[in-house]
Amino acid sequence: MTHTLHLADAANLSRAPIDITAVLDHLVREADAAAATSIGFPGAVDLDHTEVMNRLGGRLWNNIGDPADEGGIAHTRALERAVITWVADLFAMPTDDRWGYVTTGGTEGTLSALHAARRREPTARIYYSAAAHYSVAKVVRLLGAHGVPIHAQLDGEMDYAHLAEQLHRRRRFPAIVVATAGTTMTEAVDDTSRIREVLDAHPTDGHLHVDAALSGIPLALDGRLRLDDASGIGSVAISGHKFFGTPTPCGLVLIRDHLRTTGSRIAYTATADTTITGSRCGLSAALLWHAIAAHGREGHRWRADEARRLAAYTTEQLNAVGWPAWRHPHAFTVVLPTPPDPVREKWLLATDDDTSHLICMPGITPGQVDAFVADLAAAIRPRSRPIPRPRPAQASPANASAH
């Protein structure tokens, strides 16, 4: 087989013989070729996970059951517990009221948290921003719950007046509110202090969950997102393959221990059934543990700072060539009008109608940014520049759990 093989045909398992090496080589070549221009989606590329993959990747590590379970063999629950403790400490979560586990990603984390909240309040309405990740609406459907979309402001932040209005209209029902720390297109961060104020005025119980898949770790490193008692936050979901750049999708959910229902014990596995999936990827827990152990809190804070500096540089360079761009002060994400087709054909950007973004995740380099800006400048030189649209307010995130 040559470098131009048709992958679907080559991978067809009904055909023989199959050149396994050629198929795998093709996948690696395609990924390597695209890496330099893949700047639109949030996966860090600066961490080296080779040691873990080489030493643990050749066998099954099954963290079935609860992270506190210690029985069985070939699991990494001790590493998982260490990760949970480190992240919970980072978020200033009370030591006597915390529980969590390593998930398949942010979606499972939100599903686990909302499932726990809804078991306590089965009639609760679930409120989430129009700028929330698409998975939130999916989780609401999976739970068979009543979802209430809330308007988003121009910059992607939740419209708190609309939230208050919708809560008032449903004041007979308990409320579960999903805040976002890092919306998909603009990396906006909902102000959990303002949401908590709205919930506290609600006549029935209210649970506040934060989908912090993208920005949770960087904001917690800054002390801007906290799960202490003053925050009023009941749960948070975090992605592992974004800021920590793990080579397998994963995440982490943290839930206040008093808000969840303890699962039953399964006799044949001798474990507690407290998680969504049951069997869980122990390799993911090891990868997260390795990322934290190798760099520590200060190392990851430096990574976040460097990524933000590059995002600021990118915004300046785009505006300098006449292509209006903006970012939230805390964000890795740079928002811009959708570039011409020739640029989009080369550069992998996330696009929604007339708006695109690139994300300066750790590992993206100034050279990549300069090359993108040069291609954009060349593409727009013969054209008229886009008319700059009013930029949304960009107030700095407040301390603690706000913005």
Side-chain angles (χ1 to χ4, degrees), residues 239-321:
S239 174
H241 54 277
K242 292 184 172 67
F243 184 72
F244 289 127
T246 60
T248 181
C250 64
L252 187 78
V253 63
L254 294 173
I255 305 173
R256 289 184 177 273
D257 194 53
H258 78 275
L259 296 178
R260 69 185 186 94
T261 303
T262 304
S264 59
R265 290 198 70 80
I266 307 303
Y268 90 95
T269 63
T271 60
D273 185 27
T274 58
T275 68
I276 294 294
T277 58
S279 288
R280 297 179 297 106
C281 181
L283 181 60
S284 294
L287 289 164
L288 289 172
W289 175 86
H290 177 262
I292 294 167
H295 296 274
R297 186 176 295 197
E298 290 307 312
H300 288 301
R301 184 177 288 118
W302 180 87
R303 294 175 64 237
D305 289 344
E306 287 296 295
R308 289 177 181 134
R309 275 193 281 270
L310 183 60
Y313 171 80
T314 303
T315 305
E316 293 170 0
Q317 296 303 109
L318 286 168
N319 281 288
V321 299

Side-chain angles (χ1 to χ4, degrees), residues 316-325 337 373 376-377 380 384-388:
E316 293 170 0
Q317 296 303 109
L318 286 168
N319 281 288
V321 299
W323 202 260
V373 173
L376 180 58
I380 65 178
S384 60
R385 301 292 196 267
I387 299 173

Side-chain angles (χ1 to χ4, degrees), residues 162-211:
H162 190 237
L163 173 65
E165 173 191 325
Q166 294 301 309
L167 279 166
H168 181 72
R169 291 180 59 181
R170 297 164 179 83
R171 54 190 176 275
R172 294 184 296 112
F173 300 100
I176 300 170
V177 178
V178 180
T180 304
T183 59
T184 304
M185 285 306 297
T186 70
E187 204 176 329
V189 178
D190 294 334
D191 188 331
T192 54
S193 293
R194 294 187 66 178
I195 294 173
R196 191 69 255 175
E197 289 175 3
V198 174
L199 274 174
D200 289 344
H202 192 59
T204 57
D205 290 339
H207 178 93
L208 175 54
H209 170 71
V210 181
D211 173 8

Side-chain angles (χ1 to χ4, degrees), residues 344-368:
R344 292 178 58 202
E345 288 168 4
K346 177 179 178 180
W347 293 89
L348 180 60
L349 305 173
T351 297
D352 184 0
D353 195 18
D354 63 349
T355 300
S356 295
H357 76 213
L358 61 90
I359 307 185
C360 296
M361 294 299 290
I364 299 298
T365 67
Q368 287 173 280

